[in-house]
Amino acid sequence: MTGLENTNVGSTPRVEYPTRRQLPQAPLLAAARGHEPAHRPVWFMRQAGRSLPEYREIRANIGMLESCFDPELVCEITLQPVRRHRVDAAILFSDIVVPLKAAGIDLDIVAGTGPVIADPVRTAADVAKLPALEHDEVGAVARAVGLLTRELGDVPLIGFAGAPFTLASYLVEGGPSRNHERTKALMHAEPRTWHALLGRLADITIAFLQAQLHAGVDAIQLFDSWAGALSLADYREFVLPHSERVFAEVESAGVPRIHFGVGTGELLGAMGEAGADVVGVDWRVPLDVAATRVGAGKALQGNLDPAILFAGPDVVQAEVRRIVAEGDRARAAGATGHIFNLGHGVLPDTDPDVLTAVVDLVHSL
């Protein structure tokens, strides 16, 4: 069984997107499309967040989900690292469970824990009760995108969503999980239910990305944060068809599509097949090795270990130069471009000045 017979893969009308701003000189978009950028682009996952004192100040006494549905606040938080670090892209301040919350699923983001689901989804009946996401339910997010595209000038805005598997892992487990035992049990014991669940979640992910694309984001990233918990065989059978559908449904927007997961070194080839233009690589796999796994024709993103930022300026500079050299070797091996990033998100206690120095160094190389 490939799982395709149980997914929602019926033909859908081509979605027409409005004309978006043109950013022909933006280095990130050039690198993502296989063109030669004016300089190597750099941005950081979780660049807008707890590492910035201005973020902690503006978020004081405001819950995470409440923040994500406040357009003006989302705009300000998204802009903060662009002002401070001069990165080559902004990424929309949000959370991967925002579309689930917007659709009506009872969940909260608990400090120190993460997303917690009030009623986990573990049966076919639970899946059947899952709501769809309508674009107007994330209207606040779309309004934030509109504010940002007016404020960012020639800096691209990356929209994002959680991939169906990672959303499923939260829903089935009831929250973050170390071993994903309930998720894997459902996947293998009830494959029909599993594929129905991922089909529903792919619909939600597509709707969330389409809302952002209609509002004007310049690129999108699909986070499959927990896919690294899977074997390659399980990824191909139970996950890949649904991620492929997500990327296919937003292809007509014509923006670069990025795919990223943590601990996915053994999955890079399959993730490269899902339909993205750029594959993110965590710090465990050198970029030139990743290029051979992903295959020619894709750009790569990454992959400095976030912990290195605590090691002092000499180590940071040496490691940045190593990553840049690996990116060059990756391009020689067939990658169409390199976007400098971390191998995962910025850690909360990171010194913001170190991030600024990394940006300056990457731009100088």
Side-chain angles (χ1 to χ4, degrees):
M1 177 188 294
T2 66
L4 283 171
E5 63 269 40
N6 292 317
T7 62
N8 181 13
V9 293
S11 60
T12 56
R14 177 184 172 91
V15 176
E16 297 295 334
Y17 294 95
T19 301
R20 67 190 67 252
R21 58 195 185 133
Q22 298 300 304
L23 302 173
Q25 305 304 317
L28 179 129
L29 301 181
R33 290 174 169 141
H35 303 151
E36 194 64 39
H39 59 250
R40 191 179 312 253
V42 53
W43 69 280
F44 305 110
M45 290 178 282
R46 292 193 191 138
Q47 63 188 17
R50 290 173 291 175
S51 66
L52 298 182
E54 56 266 41
Y55 169 82
R56 293 194 294 270
E57 180 179 354
I58 201 171
R59 273 283 323 281
N61 303 316
I62 303 176
M64 178 63 183
L65 285 171
E66 181 184 353
S67 301
C68 293
F69 287 95
D70 182 327
E72 288 76 19
L73 186 59
V74 168
C75 179
E76 171 57 26
I77 293 172
T78 303
L79 289 169
Q80 286 176 348
V82 178
R83 295 192 197 108
R84 179 185 274 264
H85 304 311
R86 298 181 296 279
V87 284
D88 292 291
I91 184 164
L92 182 70
F93 175 74
S94 188
D95 190 274
I96 63 172
V97 299
V98 160
L100 302 181
K101 181 71 173 181
I105 295 171
D106 189 359
L107 64 87
D108 194 12
I109 298 177
V110 178
T113 300
V116 175
I117 311 299
D119 299 304
V121 176
R122 294 172 182 165
T123 68
D126 294 336
V127 173
K129 291 188 294 186
L130 284 174
L133 176 67
E134 303 298 333
H135 284 197
D136 59 0
E137 293 173 325
V138 286
V141 176
R143 289 193 292 277
V145 171
L147 293 174
L148 282 160
T149 55
R150 291 192 288 274
E151 293 287 338
L152 281 166
D154 58 0
V155 176
L157 175 63
I158 302 170
F160 77 91
F165 171 77
T166 290
L167 296 180
S169 73
Y170 283 117
L171 289 179
V172 175
E173 301 291 341
S177 172
R178 182 181 299 273
N179 299 310
H180 305 278
E181 58 267 34
R182 291 186 177 92
T183 303
K184 293 181 180 181
L186 178 63
M187 181 187 296
H188 286 277
E190 299 289 343
R192 186 174 296 275
T193 299
W194 172 261
H195 285 295
L197 171 60
L198 261 69
R200 290 290 190 98
L201 293 174
D203 290 340
I204 289 174
T205 295
I206 291 163
F208 190 44
L209 289 174
Q210 287 177 338
Q212 295 173 59
L213 288 162
H214 275 282
V217 298
D218 306 293
I220 59 102
Q221 178 157 309
L222 189 68
F223 283 89
D224 213 348
S225 306
W226 304 127
L230 298 174
S231 69
L232 178 58
D234 283 353
Y235 179 84
R236 284 194 174 279
E237 180 173 355
F238 296 111
V239 176
L240 180 57
H242 304 280
S243 295
E244 285 179 322
R245 186 163 72 88
V246 171
F247 283 118
E249 292 287 350
V250 298
E251 181 180 11
S252 63
V255 307
R257 297 160 295 167
I258 309 168
H259 200 13
F260 175 74
V262 183
T264 53
E266 299 304 317
L267 309 181
L268 286 173
M271 291 180 72
E273 297 170 16
D277 308 290
V278 183
V279 176
V281 183
D282 79 8
W283 68 92
R284 297 169 177 87
V285 180
L287 288 170
D288 47 346
V289 175
T292 64
R293 297 183 185 183
V294 172
K298 306 282 184 181
L300 298 182
Q301 179 174 279
N303 64 341
L304 181 69
D305 185 340
I308 291 295
L309 299 173
F310 295 81
D314 292 344
V315 173
V316 171
Q317 289 181 26
E319 288 295 291
V320 168
R321 291 177 184 277
R322 179 181 64 81
I323 297 298
V324 167
E326 286 180 1
D328 290 341
R329 291 198 296 273
R331 293 188 67 187
T336 58
H338 175 220
I339 299 166
F340 192 100
N341 207 312
L342 303 180
H344 198 196
V346 175
L347 298 172
D349 294 328
T350 304
D351 181 348
D353 290 342
V354 176
L355 291 171
T356 302
V358 169
V359 174
D360 290 342
L361 178 56
V362 173
H363 285 171
S364 73
L365 297 175

